[in-house]
Each structure stands twice: as structure tokens, then as C-alpha cells.
Amino acid sequence: MKFVVLGCVMLASAAVLSAAEGSLAAGSSAGSAAAQTVPQAVATLLDKVRSESDPAKAEALIVAYAGAPHALVALALGNARVQQADGATDAARLDLLRRAETAYANAAQLDPTLIQAKLGLARCAGARGDWPAAITACAAAVPVASATAADLAFYADCAARGGDPRLASTLVTQGITRFPGEKIFRRQELALLVAADRWEEARAALQALLVAAPTDVDTWRSLAGAESRGGTPVEARVALEAALLLKPDDVAIRRALAEAQLAGEQAPAALATVLPLVADPLTADPRLVEFAARIAAEADRNDQARRWLLALPTEKRSRSGHLLAARLAAQTNDLAAADAALQAVLRQGEADPAVLAWAGSIAENRNDLGRAEGLYRQADVQGPSVASLRLSLLLHRLGRDDEARRVLAVYRNAKPADPQLPIIERIIEGR
């Protein structure tokens, strides 16, 4: 917004200088002449405002002005308030924008021909996220057939954000027609196509952009998104590879490519892609380390996966990181490490019956039968599951066959067709 506001200030200053030189149209009505006339006091004030770099001090100069109301003074006041809104806290920003709108509305009332005041109203409404109000203000402030590219693009953006894609499309078409070299309208067209799920047309629009700018990383990334959403994952990967070649240090692109490669069952390629992100796992983002470990596991590089996970302090691992660590440890029969990883998950309030049953199984294999029973029962209370079967077998192992039969009877009522039932029944009954 800052650049727009500075433009408004420059336009206002130009109007002041022109009017101060006495360039009034001959034969003007008294009303329009009054609107165009710039008294010397107003010209002097606006010169001071223009030379003041601090917008708060500029506002103070304008507020202290005691002369007759003038549209350009009100416009300058709105501009000063908008400049202050840039970088202000949310509450202060909203208040400044509201007060700027009041000043712009006053300017538009004093001079209905002052387009910059109406544009100020539109941009303030847009900055507040009130897109319907911004659209209404743009309709009054932006002459579509003669507007600048920036103003026309802003109007189209307001229409798109305000939920009027037909208006936005019309404005974008006008922009492409009048300003064929301006990329902003091509990108707005693309956004509208994507929002409407018109992927074939979106691909065509992106490819046209790439013809004009083949080294534009953002366009390659957008093409990857369009290809992915359009159901062509191979083409999406190719686009991401091109983007990464152009910008190899971009973490987001590298991760997106690794994810696409993993989804395409290219785990070794995904591992090669992600390696630079975890060159030093001690300083890397913990989520990236876990992501790399998952890829390594998919690529049958379990030792590498475990090394990366072990480099993460326990408190920095996520739930999925702990579960992956447990799975990798169990695969190497490191039951102590698997148990430790699962206990870390349980301490976070885990309630998934499958995880509880798994933790119970690890505890049972480590001969911690009391804890195993507790975990199985914690899962069983949520409903019949594999934990129920394991609990019945554990109770039989402990010589508590009546309890085992009761647990199994509840399971049988819920899942009578489970093929495991007859096997477990024979075990418990000693047959």
C-alpha cells in the first residue's frame, strides 16, 4: 500500500502546483472553479507535507491547518494516515485506516471529480478486507477503459477476493487486452482458472508464461501445483525438478519435490533430494529430520533413518517421529529402544487402541506383564480390537482363563467372523 499512497501524494502535489499556477479552465462553473482553486495557504501547507518524511508529523501539520476546508487537504490527510497504518499494530492499523477513509470521503465530497480520493477509499476497504466495499469504491474510481494497469489490477483483485469471479475475469481480460506485456494480469487469470478448477486452461496459461519467462521459479512451482491438482503427478515432478534446478537452495521446493518423489514410489530419488536439508541434523528443523528419516526408511536405509532420529532429542520428536523410531527399533529387535519411543508417545496422552496394543505387545515381549495387561485393557475399554485378543492370550498365559473367556466372549459378539477367533479359543481351551 505504501507505494500507492506515495503515488497519491505525488498526484495531489502535481494538482496543487498546476492549480497554483492558475490553470483554471475558462468558462468553468462557479462550483467547479471553487473545487479546482488552490488557495496559497493550501499550496504552502501541501508543500510542507510533501517535504515531511514522518507521516505522523505530516498528519499533525494538516490537523493544525485552520483554513477553509479543501479537497486536497483532506486527501493529504488520508494519505498520511494510510502511511502510518503501514507497519502499525493490528488495532492501531484498523483505527488509522478508518480515519483515513473518513478523510478520503471528505475529500470526495468536497471535490467529486477527485479520483484519488475514491481510490483511497477503495484501497482502505481492501486493506481492511472489506472486499464488497472495495469493489463498490473501485467501480466509482477506476475507469476501466482508461485506468492505469496498477488500478485495473487492483480492481480485478478486489473482485476476485470479493467473490465475483465474473467481474474479475472481465477486468483481467480488459487488462490483458490493454496491457499485454503486464504479467500481473496473466497471473490473475491463472488464479481465477485455478480457483475454478479449470486445470487444462491453467496449464496452458502457465506454459504461456514460461515461454515468456522460462527461468521464472514461481511459474514452475505453480505449474507443478496445477499438474498435481490436475492428476498428472509425473509432470508435477518434472516441473518441481525444473524449479529446483533454478533455485537449489529453496527448502520448500526441495521438500515438495521429495514428497512428490516419495508419493511416486521413488524413495531413493527422494532421499537424494532431501539429503542437503539434513546435512547437519543437530541444527536442522526437527520436522525435516523426521521427514528425511521416513524417506530413508522407505528407501530401505533403516540405519540412516535411525541415526537421524537418534540425533533428535526426545522432546523435539513429534508423535510420528516417536512411532517411526519405535518401528525401526522393533525391526532390529531393539525392544528397549522401541519401548522407550512408545512410552514417549504414551506420556503425551496417546489413546489410539492400535498404538496401545503395540506398546502392550512390546511390554509383553520384554516380560513386563503387568504393564502389558494395563495397556491392553486401556485399549480394550474403547471397544473390541486386536488388543482384546492379545489381552485374552495374556490372561491365559497368567492362568486366568475365566477372565480370558469373558474378554473373548465380548469380542466374539462384536466380530463373530474374525478368523483368529477359533485359533485363540483352541489355545485357551487347551485343544
Coordinates of all heavy atoms in Angstrom, one line a residue, residues 189-190 193 198-207:
E189 N -5.3 -14.1 -14.2 CA -6.1 -15.0 -15.0 C -5.8 -16.4 -14.5 O -6.8 -17.3 -14.3 CB -5.7 -14.9 -16.4 CG -6.4 -15.9 -17.4 CD -5.8 -16.0 -18.8 OE1 -4.6 -15.8 -18.9 OE2 -6.6 -16.2 -19.7
L190 N -4.6 -16.7 -14.2 CA -4.2 -18.1 -13.7 C -4.9 -18.4 -12.4 O -5.4 -19.5 -12.2 CB -2.7 -18.2 -13.6 CG -2.1 -19.4 -12.9 CD1 -2.5 -20.6 -13.8 CD2 -0.6 -19.3 -12.7
L193 N -8.5 -19.3 -13.0 CA -8.6 -20.6 -13.5 C -8.4 -21.7 -12.5 O -9.1 -22.7 -12.4 CB -7.6 -20.8 -14.7 CG -7.8 -20.0 -15.9 CD1 -6.6 -20.1 -16.9 CD2 -9.1 -20.3 -16.6
R198 N -10.2 -25.2 -13.3 CA -10.1 -25.4 -14.8 C -8.6 -25.6 -15.1 O -7.8 -24.8 -15.6 CB -10.6 -24.1 -15.5 CG -12.1 -23.9 -15.3 CD -12.6 -22.5 -15.5 NE -12.3 -22.0 -16.9 CZ -12.6 -20.8 -17.3 NH1 -13.2 -19.9 -16.4 NH2 -12.3 -20.3 -18.5
W199 N -8.2 -26.9 -14.8 CA -6.7 -27.2 -14.8 C -6.1 -27.2 -16.1 O -4.9 -26.8 -16.3 CB -6.5 -28.5 -14.1 CG -7.0 -28.5 -12.7 CD1 -8.1 -29.1 -12.1 CD2 -6.4 -27.7 -11.6 NE1 -8.2 -28.7 -10.8 CE2 -7.2 -27.9 -10.5 CE3 -5.3 -26.8 -11.5 CZ2 -7.0 -27.2 -9.3 CZ3 -5.1 -26.2 -10.3 CH2 -5.9 -26.4 -9.2
E200 N -6.8 -27.7 -17.2 CA -6.3 -27.7 -18.5 C -5.9 -26.3 -19.0 O -4.9 -26.0 -19.5 CB -7.2 -28.3 -19.5 CG -7.4 -29.8 -19.3 CD -6.1 -30.6 -19.6 OE1 -5.3 -30.1 -20.4 OE2 -5.8 -31.6 -18.9
E201 N -6.9 -25.3 -18.7 CA -6.6 -23.9 -19.1 C -5.5 -23.3 -18.2 O -4.8 -22.5 -18.7 CB -7.9 -23.1 -18.9 CG -9.0 -23.5 -19.9 CD -10.3 -22.9 -19.6 OE1 -10.5 -21.7 -20.0 OE2 -11.2 -23.6 -19.0
A202 N -5.5 -23.7 -16.9 CA -4.4 -23.2 -16.1 C -3.1 -23.7 -16.6 O -2.1 -22.9 -16.6 CB -4.7 -23.7 -14.6
R203 N -3.0 -24.9 -17.0 CA -1.7 -25.4 -17.5 C -1.3 -24.6 -18.8 O -0.1 -24.2 -18.9 CB -1.8 -26.9 -17.9 CG -1.9 -27.9 -16.8 CD -1.7 -29.3 -17.3 NE -2.1 -30.3 -16.4 CZ -3.3 -30.9 -16.4 NH1 -4.2 -30.6 -17.4 NH2 -3.6 -31.8 -15.5
A204 N -2.3 -24.4 -19.6 CA -2.0 -23.6 -20.8 C -1.5 -22.2 -20.5 O -0.6 -21.7 -21.1 CB -3.2 -23.5 -21.7
A205 N -2.1 -21.6 -19.5 CA -1.8 -20.2 -19.1 C -0.3 -20.2 -18.5 O 0.5 -19.3 -18.8 CB -2.8 -19.7 -18.1
L206 N 0.0 -21.2 -17.7 CA 1.3 -21.3 -17.1 C 2.4 -21.6 -18.2 O 3.5 -21.0 -18.1 CB 1.3 -22.4 -16.1 CG 0.7 -22.1 -14.7 CD1 0.4 -23.3 -13.9 CD2 1.6 -21.2 -13.9
Q207 N 2.1 -22.4 -19.1 CA 3.0 -22.7 -20.2 C 3.3 -21.5 -21.0 O 4.4 -21.3 -21.5 CB 2.5 -23.9 -21.0 CG 2.6 -25.2 -20.3 CD 1.8 -26.3 -20.9 OE1 1.0 -26.1 -21.8 NE2 1.9 -27.5 -20.3

